[in-house]
Amino acid sequence: MTSHDRQYADARYLSQLLVSIAEQAKADFADTVAPLGLPIHLARAVLLLDQPAPMRDLADQLACDRSYITNLADQLEELELVERVPGQDRRVKLLALTKKGVQTRDAISKAVAERSMVLQRLTDAQRETLRPLLELLAGQE
Amino acid sequence: MTSHDRQYADARYLSQLLVSIAEQAKADFADTVAPLGLPIHLARAVLLLDQPAPMRDLADQLACDRSYITNLADQLEELELVERVPGQDRRVKLLALTKKGVQTRDAISKAVAERSMVLQRLTDAQRETLRPLLELLAGQE
DNA sequence: TATTGTTATACTCTATAACTATA
DNA sequence: TATAGTTATAGAGTATAACAATA
């Protein structure tokens, strides 16, 4: 086996690990927010709305179409977690958390952190080591 | 901010990084296998069929319903990548890669490794450091 | 009785295209 | 003309339930 082959085998193995970790993380997230009555995308949107944000921005962050955000926003309004507020540019609508939305966001945030694999399976030192590697992988160098 | 709070903030940050890396990895995988004419789940199934395996096992590994595997198997047979072969237990059908299936698996495998973030963004040493941390996260201790 | 794979069907997620109102 | 959000619609992906064959 050449060193080249070994690199490839290594890359494949790590990629598989990443995929399976990601799937587990996603499933954990879904399980964590389900008791709050929220499907995964609604919960993610709530977490992203730390500040009121244009619907367009949300579409970028969730990597989906604007029309789908309309859909999510309708559901979030129905649940009274979010309000549409007009922006300075009058084409724009901002999504802003309601009081109930803020409470929900805090609850999600806490539940997610408590149950996270990252907290349960790694020590402080291990997390410190992991962080820069993930940042490199995420492409924020 | 208490040390407790900091741990939580840390866990949230790392979790977010993992999620965004996973999404990127998934999109990269889809882009990589698209030229081969394979949607993501078909490609994953082909990669998993290193050995002929009962359809049931595939359902477990892909975390989906058996009926969906029937669906995938039909498509893979249509593409002549896979054959259904009877198992010793006569209820069971194994999926086995055809010659073309093996070639396709090798092509996918190579393309995925070449384009993987893990290979492109990390040095050998960084991958060595990352491996045990991912293994802990994946729960294979 | 429990399990494997299949079928038919239905539901969820998400995008596309055409529209409106602003800019 | 280009952009933000909306609407209606369609497609992909995936599950559920009932079933046949086998254990």
Side-chain angles (χ1 to χ4, degrees):
Chain A
M1 202 191 224
T2 68
S3 108
H4 189 251
D5 287 341
R6 215 177 305 115
Q7 271 195 339
Y8 275 23
D10 212 39
R12 266 195 292 275
Y13 173 65
L14 292 181
S15 296
Q16 273 172 23
L17 275 180
L18 269 176
V19 168
S20 76
I21 290 166
E23 279 175 353
Q24 217 175 313
K26 192 176 167 188
D28 285 353
F29 185 79
D31 290 348
T32 302
V33 299
L36 298 164
L38 291 175
I40 199 161
H41 251 171
L42 293 190
R44 286 192 66 194
V46 169
L47 281 182
L48 287 173
L49 287 174
D50 229 341
Q51 303 298 325
M55 295 173 70
R56 177 56 199 249
D57 289 3
L58 219 51
D60 290 341
Q61 292 178 278
L62 293 175
C64 64
D65 194 82
R66 275 161 294 146
S67 66
Y68 185 53
I69 299 298
T70 296
N71 191 332
L72 294 183
D74 289 347
Q75 295 179 66
L76 289 170
E77 276 199 338
E78 185 67 29
L79 293 167
E80 296 178 357
L81 297 176
V82 146
E83 289 178 325
R84 284 170 163 95
V85 307
Q88 68 299 0
D89 178 337
R90 281 161 56 206
R91 289 173 301 183
V92 171
K93 292 176 193 168
L94 305 175
L95 296 187
L97 293 180
T98 61
K99 199 166 209 172
K100 185 175 169 193
V102 171
Q103 290 169 355
T104 300
R105 184 204 57 199
D106 291 345
I108 296 172
S109 189
K110 182 153 179 281
V112 167
E114 274 172 355
R115 297 192 38 178
S116 81
M117 291 183 301
V118 165
L119 205 58
Q120 295 190 338
R121 297 188 176 159
L122 299 183
T123 65
D124 286 1
Q126 286 168 334
R127 281 196 296 280
E128 281 311 301
T129 307
L130 181 61
R131 184 210 307 265
L133 296 175
L134 291 187
E135 285 171 343
L136 280 172
L137 279 177
Q140 1 166 302
E141 63 287 0
Chain B
M1 204 192 220
T2 69
S3 108
H4 190 251
D5 286 340
R6 216 176 306 115
Q7 270 195 339
Y8 274 23
D10 212 38
R12 266 194 292 276
Y13 174 64
L14 292 180
S15 297
Q16 273 172 23
L17 275 180
L18 270 175
V19 168
S20 77
I21 289 166
E23 280 174 352
Q24 217 176 312
K26 192 177 168 188
D28 284 354
F29 184 80
D31 290 348
T32 303
V33 299
L36 298 163
L38 290 175
I40 199 162
H41 252 170
L42 293 188
R44 286 194 65 194
V46 169
L47 281 183
L48 287 173
L49 288 175
D50 228 341
Q51 302 299 325
M55 294 173 70
R56 178 56 198 251
D57 289 3
L58 219 52
D60 291 342
Q61 294 178 277
L62 294 176
C64 65
D65 194 81
R66 273 162 298 146
S67 67
Y68 185 54
I69 300 298
T70 295
N71 190 333
L72 294 183
D74 288 348
Q75 295 179 66
L76 290 170
E77 277 199 337
E78 184 66 31
L79 294 167
E80 297 178 355
L81 298 176
V82 146
E83 289 178 324
R84 285 170 163 96
V85 307
Q88 67 300 0
D89 177 336
R90 281 161 56 204
R91 288 173 302 184
V92 171
K93 291 175 192 167
L94 305 174
L95 296 186
L97 292 180
T98 60
K99 199 165 207 170
K100 185 174 168 193
V102 170
Q103 290 169 354
T104 301
R105 184 204 55 200
D106 291 345
I108 296 172
S109 189
K110 181 153 180 280
V112 167
E114 275 172 356
R115 298 192 38 177
S116 80
M117 292 182 302
V118 164
L119 205 58
Q120 296 191 338
R121 296 189 176 160
L122 299 182
T123 65
D124 287 1
Q126 286 169 333
R127 280 195 298 278
E128 282 309 301
T129 307
L130 181 61
R131 185 210 307 266
L133 297 175
L134 291 187
E135 285 171 343
L136 281 171
L137 280 177
Q140 4 167 301
E141 62 288 0

